[in-house]
Amino acid sequence: MAAVHHPDHGHGHEHEHHGAPSGIMRWMTTTNHKDIGTLYLWFSFMMFLTGGVMALTIRAELFQPGLQLVEPEFFNQLTTLHGLVMVFGAIMPAFVGFANWQIPMMIGAPDMAFARMNNWSFWLLPPAALLLIGSFFVPGGAAAGGWTLYPPLSTQMGMGMDMTIFAVHIMGASSIMGSINIVTTVLNMRAPGMTMMKMPLFVWTWLITAYLLIAVMPVLAGAVTMLLTDRHFGTNFFNAAGGGDPVMFQHIFWFFGHPEVYIMILPAFGIVSQIIPVFARKPLFGYSSMVYATSSIAILSFVVWAHHMFTVGMPVSAQLFFMYATMLIAVPTGVKVFNWTATMWQGSMTFEAPMLFAIGFIFLFTLGGFSGIVLAIVPVDIQLQETYYVIAHFHYVLVSGSLFALFGGTYYWLPKWTGHMYDETLAKTHFWLSMIFFNVTFFVQHFLGLAGMPRRTPDYALQFADFNQISSIGAFGFGLSQLLFLYVILKCIRGGEKATNQVWEGADTLEFTLPSPPPYHSFETPPIVK
Amino acid sequence: MGVKMIAKIITGAFALTLYSGAAISSYQLNLPAPQSGIATQIYDLHTLLLWICLAIFVGVFGVMFYSILKHRKSLGYKAANFHHSTTVEIIWTIIPFIILISMAYPATQTIISMKDTASPDITIKATGYQWQWGYDYLKGEGEGASFYSKLSTPQEQIRNKAPKGEHYLMEVDNNMVVPVGKKIRVLLTANDVIHAWSVQELGVKQDAIPGFIRDAWFKADKPGIYRGQCSELCGKEHAFMPIVVEAMEPEKYTQWVANQKKKSEATVVDVNKIFTIDELKTEGEKVYTANCAACHQANGKGLPGAFPALDGSKVANGPKAGHIKTVVNGETGTAMASFKHLSDVDIAAVVTYERNAWGNATGDMVQPSEINEFRK
């Protein structure tokens, strides 16, 4: 983009990107990290609503026993696409959106290292999303084998599965480019004086996440490619009749899948670690142990994958190894929770929406951690594998974990991005509605799982009826509450009380030294960090 | 006074919840009552885990919520400025280790006994099909018994056209029958995709993987009927292939075995027997309803896009050999599974039926001997 090289434009003026295209072409051709961050965030929000509609259709069918609204095969398509859309379309791009907006500003850099590749990383996503959503309308419908795409079931599907595989390839390419960009930016473009151990934790967690992405996205790409050749080109990687092994897919998939779980939670840890000290008006407790804990979690994530498959029939030694390794993860995760608590201890706390979501995150994520420990214990896992207990567990870490952190982060930085304060009352209402309805939806699913209700079923036995009804009511409440979130954001973009540069009383990271909203190109002269 | 009132209301509401919980069994909060030694160990392990988690919960969030209540700016609390303490950090790294070991020790013992499938009294092979289970009694008392076990809940109940029965979706035509107090080893495999054989009350869940054999074991303590469901997504009827294990006293079991023997003797058919087309069509319709109608539908129209119609299809109206091949071997890369586990009579009947049902009128007849020949 021409304006980047323009020598003499000032800060803070809308006319500075003169020469750049306007209208839709501005967004298509932009190489500005803030524009691209905005694109990522809106894309992920749209995918969040899309995946949400699928979830609500699922919950509507499960409101009562019996088949009412959808046929079983369509139900399976919904559960599959809900998972894929939320993981690859909503949560991951949302964190990349935050990285784009925040990392350059937090390390005092003018933009991302590879500005044009950044544009391409984003613009790969809409075609991938179209492939995923479009697969509902092809003969045979969308992939219906679960988001984990286990063969041989996934080799039975129609062309919807091929579209899904292609979409996964594209999104993988996008993630890898985004990650290389982040690693390069963080390692090379920090302001003078900002040593690694002075970086804000959000930057640290994203750096580690980016390495995880680079390590595992190719593994996923390999797994789905093997699936593709098994389907169409006569290979037998996963077909026992031809000498292959269906369980091998699960090993490869979860070698990607477990680090993927941390890809979706580490940046959330980063956001929460930014928010808590600001609203406690007290420095983060145990900064370096936070960095080490994050790194340990990342490293451990490569040696625990088979805890997703304790029922496939592994030898005792393998079950024990994966159980012990999984339990070990509780140690660094515990350290993080203790550090956040110690940060709050004897602080001078206020409870604006970002803080509420951060505390909600710690509270509910820890509950998800408890159910994680329960599931790590092999004998108990065998009772609970593939039941609603697992659904409850990973929604506690993904919805009240990752998503709550995203909400918190949005409220935290929205005044910086837009230059306006958001409506605090509405935002707090959004928090309480989300908090209550989330628990109504998912807490009861622990009981369903313990009682043995299998997941991925459109119908269930009568003893599960009451809790399912409660869960469905909660789900609709939660879904509708998110429209309030949309309203708060739109209202904040359109106007509102002017935000100061610092925005929050306790904020001390570099982005809060810039005006609100920050100029189109910030930190062209790097700040000096002491 | 106000506090007392609130306390009264809360205890009242709590008691009421407990009460109604007892009255309506559907609000089950925990694992089902265990019915085998392993299941009991797991139940106790889970209870132990819950207590440990509760203790940590109270500890951590006690501190956090105290802080949230007291250390507020609105109360004029001034922030302290500490930001690390090596001692504290080491302590709260070590304590979780110790807690984890206290969890891992009993778990390890249970895992080892769960995996010990040696010297069983009876060995039964369970095979997952889309969408039913097949049981073959391989060794021990009952050797030779072999049958399929299919959901017996009628479609009208699923489609909300009839009131749902007590064991809605958890009932089958043929229970897997075992004697109490005997070690039963279950060998698991599957015909098409991965299924999972699961009965919580007996503490068993094991994936059934096509092309591989896995095993698990249980010993039922008491006579009773224990129900479970397929626990690995296996396609559209995944919700509709339950597992029902009936444990009975050894004497009764001996009787059941004798009955099974008589039944199987009565149904042995000479493969060279020649049937009439009507016999084949009548039998074929039954086989079709049990095995094919889930996808291809009772009216033979299939589900457009997902499952092809047989009415007017190329296969059902083309050469016989091709039709037989498709049914016996399935079509790789599609949802059409192999049905080679069906008997020669069943396959002959269903092929005959499909070639002469709905709009199909080939007039062809397939005899069991042709299937027998094809298999060679």
Side-chain angles (χ1 to χ4, degrees):
Chain A
M1 192 165 120
V4 174
H5 306 292
H6 206 281
D8 59 1
H9 56 81
H11 280 180
H13 302 290
E14 266 308 299
H15 67 259
E16 65 182 311
H17 45 104
H18 49 81
S22 57
I24 182 81
M25 285 314 284
R26 167 189 167 189
W27 298 102
M28 298 282 284
T29 59
T30 184
T31 53
N32 179 285
H33 74 101
K34 301 187 184 81
D35 280 356
I36 293 172
T38 306
L39 286 170
Y40 265 110
L41 290 172
W42 277 114
F43 171 81
S44 64
F45 191 74
M46 278 156 62
M47 293 306 274
F48 172 61
L49 294 185
T50 312
V53 169
M54 294 176 195
L56 293 187
T57 317
I58 291 167
R59 284 310 329 167
E61 172 58 47
L62 292 173
F63 185 67
Q64 283 184 328
L67 296 176
Q68 290 90 16
L69 293 175
V70 295
E71 288 301 308
E73 57 271 30
F74 184 60
F75 183 91
N76 289 346
Q77 294 171 23
L78 286 174
T79 53
T80 305
L81 268 283
H82 166 72
L84 289 168
V85 163
M86 286 303 199
V87 168
F88 293 104
I91 300 290
M92 288 171 69
F95 280 123
V96 182
F98 274 84
N100 262 291
W101 256 103
Q102 289 308 128
I103 287 179
M105 291 203 293
M106 292 174 99
I107 61 172
D111 204 308
M112 298 292 282
F114 304 116
R116 287 172 195 226
M117 188 167 84
N118 204 12
N119 170 293
W120 185 225
S121 312
F122 172 76
W123 282 106
L124 279 176
L125 289 178
L130 284 179
L131 276 172
L132 273 182
I133 309 298
S135 67
F136 274 112
F137 306 100
V138 300
W147 85 279
T148 50
L149 310 174
Y150 283 3
L153 187 59
S154 53
T155 48
Q156 287 186 350
M157 307 278 146
M159 66 183 286
M161 179 59 71
D162 302 316
M163 294 169 77
T164 301
I165 290 173
F166 194 40
V168 168
H169 277 142
I170 298 175
M171 292 184 294
S174 157
S175 291
I176 288 173
M177 289 197 287
S179 305
I180 290 173
N181 214 341
I182 286 167
V183 169
T184 316
T185 308
V186 172
L187 293 185
N188 294 301
M189 296 176 67
R190 296 192 310 279
M194 179 170 283
T195 58
M196 293 294 274
M197 290 311 270
K198 278 189 188 163
M199 293 195 309
L201 261 171
F202 177 70
V203 180
W204 253 117
T205 52
W206 240 118
L207 178 67
I208 294 167
T209 303
Y211 275 111
L212 285 181
L213 273 166
I214 294 170
V216 299
M217 288 315 283
V219 178
L220 175 67
V224 295
T225 306
M226 286 194 262
L227 210 54
L228 189 74
T229 59
D230 266 15
R231 283 168 56 77
H232 296 294
F233 307 116
T235 58
N236 287 302
F237 293 113
F238 309 127
N239 176 13
D245 183 349
V247 177
M248 186 172 74
F249 177 87
Q250 300 184 21
H251 283 292
I252 303 172
F253 180 87
W254 287 114
F255 186 80
F256 145 79
H258 201 80
E260 169 68 15
V261 172
Y262 295 128
I263 287 166
M264 292 188 283
I265 201 65
L266 294 184
F269 289 165
I271 292 176
V272 170
S273 303
Q274 299 302 132
I275 293 175
I276 298 277
V278 168
F279 293 89
R281 291 164 183 79
K282 192 165 155 282
L284 182 70
F285 187 88
Y287 171 91
S288 46
S289 73
M290 282 298 214
V291 173
Y292 301 138
T294 312
S295 316
S296 329
I297 293 175
I299 291 164
L300 281 173
S301 76
F302 286 103
V303 294
V304 296
W305 75 88
H307 69 213
H308 295 270
M309 31 194 295
F310 279 144
T311 60
V312 297
M314 282 183 286
V316 177
S317 50
Q319 290 198 334
L320 290 178
F321 171 79
F322 285 109
M323 177 174 81
Y324 298 150
T326 304
M327 294 174 79
L328 269 185
I329 290 186
V331 176
T333 314
V335 166
K336 283 182 163 291
V337 173
F338 299 146
N339 280 344
W340 288 321
T341 311
T343 308
M344 288 160 73
W345 186 254
Q346 293 189 348
S348 175
M349 282 188 276
T350 51
F351 301 92
E352 291 88 344
M355 185 63 163
L356 288 179
F357 272 108
I359 294 172
F361 168 95
I362 299 175
F363 184 61
L364 296 179
F365 177 81
T366 305
L367 290 190
F370 287 145
S371 59
I373 281 285
V374 171
L375 287 171
I377 307 292
V378 175
V380 182
D381 177 78
I382 288 195
Q383 292 288 42
L384 299 175
Q385 165 93 12
E386 206 65 17
T387 68
Y388 263 78
Y389 194 92
V390 177
I391 306 251
H393 162 69
F394 71 68
H395 283 91
Y396 265 81
V397 291
L398 268 177
V399 178
S400 59
S402 309
L403 186 62
F404 272 29
L406 286 164
F407 288 153
T410 307
Y411 289 125
Y412 180 57
W413 282 305
L414 201 56
K416 173 56 60 187
W417 297 341
T418 63
H420 305 127
M421 295 307 287
Y422 58 84
D423 186 325
E424 190 64 59
T425 316
L426 287 183
K428 282 183 176 165
T429 315
H430 172 228
F431 168 76
W432 285 109
L433 288 175
S434 297
M435 183 79 182
I436 291 165
F437 283 122
F438 170 81
N439 283 294
V440 173
T441 311
F442 291 108
F443 199 76
V444 293
Q445 293 186 358
H446 292 111
F447 304 134
L448 286 173
L450 284 164
M453 177 173 165
R455 61 190 282 216
R456 294 168 166 170
T457 55
D459 196 2
Y460 47 81
L462 299 182
Q463 71 261 34
F464 307 127
D466 298 296
F467 282 137
N468 267 295
Q469 208 156 68
I470 294 172
S471 181
S472 290
I473 292 169
F476 275 85
F478 186 81
L480 293 175
S481 308
Q482 305 323 314
L483 298 179
L484 181 60
F485 178 55
L486 178 63
Y487 177 73
V488 176
I489 291 174
L490 291 176
K491 194 176 164 198
C492 179
I493 292 172
R494 296 167 70 102
E497 188 196 329
K498 190 91 188 73
T500 61
N501 290 2
Q502 200 192 4
V503 183
W504 309 108
E505 191 186 351
D508 61 354
T509 38
L510 282 179
E511 74 270 33
F512 292 107
T513 62
L514 291 169
S516 303
Y520 197 61
H521 301 289
S522 36
F523 292 127
E524 288 184 308
T525 316
I528 309 289
V529 179
K530 283 179 219 101
Chain B
M1 164 111 185
V3 175
K4 250 187 188 166
M5 277 285 280
I6 292 169
K8 234 179 174 176
I9 292 168
I10 291 174
T11 18
F14 190 63
L16 203 68
T17 324
L18 277 183
Y19 236 51
S20 53
I24 312 164
S25 62
S26 59
Y27 286 105
Q28 184 189 325
L29 299 181
N30 203 345
L31 290 162
Q35 302 292 343
S36 75
I38 292 286
T40 311
Q41 283 185 40
I42 299 176
Y43 189 94
D44 295 341
L45 194 56
H46 177 251
T47 310
L48 170 74
L49 295 177
L50 279 192
W51 282 115
I52 294 176
C53 288
L54 185 69
I56 302 172
F57 179 88
V58 171
V60 173
F61 291 108
V63 171
M64 185 183 288
F65 283 103
Y66 178 84
S67 174
I68 287 174
L69 286 178
K70 297 286 177 187
H71 306 152
R72 291 171 167 252
K73 197 184 174 197
S74 56
L75 298 178
Y77 198 90
K78 290 273 172 292
N81 199 34
F82 61 87
H83 50 77
H84 78 282
S85 155
T86 313
T87 327
V88 173
E89 288 173 64
I90 289 175
I91 291 174
W92 72 34
T93 310
I94 291 175
I95 291 178
F97 260 114
I98 298 168
I99 298 175
L100 289 176
I101 291 168
S102 73
M103 292 172 167
Y105 182 70
T108 303
Q109 288 178 316
T110 308
I111 294 172
I112 291 169
S113 36
M114 285 174 97
K115 279 286 178 182
D116 178 19
T117 53
S119 48
D121 297 309
I122 296 174
T123 304
I124 303 172
K125 183 174 87 166
T127 309
Y129 299 96
Q130 283 175 315
W131 292 274
Q132 60 183 326
W133 291 94
Y135 296 109
D136 296 283
Y137 289 58
L138 299 182
K139 248 187 158 171
E141 193 183 358
E143 188 174 325
S146 169
F147 52 88
Y148 295 102
S149 176
K150 202 173 157 40
L151 179 74
S152 60
T153 304
Q155 275 294 317
E156 295 78 56
Q157 290 189 17
I158 297 172
R159 298 280 161 185
N160 308 308
K161 286 177 187 137
K164 296 179 178 21
E166 189 191 349
H167 298 299
Y168 177 72
L169 297 192
M170 305 286 266
E171 52 199 352
V172 293
D173 50 2
N174 300 307
N175 296 344
M176 171 177 162
V177 178
V178 296
V180 293
K182 295 273 195 279
K183 184 169 184 177
I184 313 291
R185 180 179 181 220
V186 190
L187 298 180
L188 276 305
T189 187
N191 182 54
D192 29 52
V193 299
I194 301 173
H195 302 268
W197 197 85
S198 159
V199 182
Q200 267 189 324
E201 285 156 305
L202 302 173
V204 183
K205 184 178 289 152
Q206 172 60 54
D207 289 2
I209 299 156
F212 292 86
I213 303 253
R214 300 286 202 254
D215 65 353
W217 73 275
F218 65 88
K219 193 187 269 180
D221 294 338
K222 286 190 298 218
I225 295 185
Y226 309 117
R227 298 168 200 274
Q229 286 180 276
C230 178
S231 297
E232 182 62 54
L233 179 61
C234 60
K236 73 186 193 71
E237 305 287 304
H238 168 53
F240 308 106
M241 51 179 292
I243 295 127
V244 182
V245 175
E246 187 174 354
M248 42 176 73
E249 297 293 351
E251 310 81 63
K252 274 197 170 168
Y253 178 73
T254 311
Q255 241 173 40
W256 176 83
V257 170
N259 281 341
Q260 281 301 110
K261 239 190 202 129
K262 262 189 238 154
K263 252 204 238 168
S264 66
E265 275 159 11
T267 51
V268 168
V269 182
D270 179 8
V271 290
N272 292 318
K273 185 178 169 190
I274 303 292
F275 292 84
T276 68
I277 190 159
D278 289 328
E279 283 172 334
L280 286 170
K281 274 164 68 179
T282 321
E283 186 58 30
E285 188 170 1
K286 282 187 219 154
V287 179
Y288 183 85
T289 311
N291 296 285
C292 319
C295 295
H296 295 296
Q297 305 301 310
N299 60 9
K301 300 276 186 224
L303 291 169
F307 306 107
L310 299 182
D311 189 5
S313 84
K314 274 190 201 144
V315 174
N317 293 289
K320 267 202 303 197
H323 192 170
I324 294 170
K325 186 167 167 250
T326 304
V327 175
V328 176
N329 294 339
E331 292 282 348
T332 37
T334 71
M336 181 64 196
S338 154
F339 284 89
K340 61 175 184 283
H341 53 277
L342 297 181
S343 71
D344 292 349
V345 179
D346 284 352
I347 294 177
V350 79
V351 173
T352 308
Y353 173 74
E354 287 171 2
R355 298 178 76 78
N356 296 289
W358 321 295
N360 300 345
T362 57
D364 287 342
M365 185 164 40
V366 179
Q367 292 295 344
S369 57
E370 293 174 59
I371 308 297
N372 192 31
E373 193 57 33
F374 176 82
R375 287 191 203 261
K376 292 172 187 164

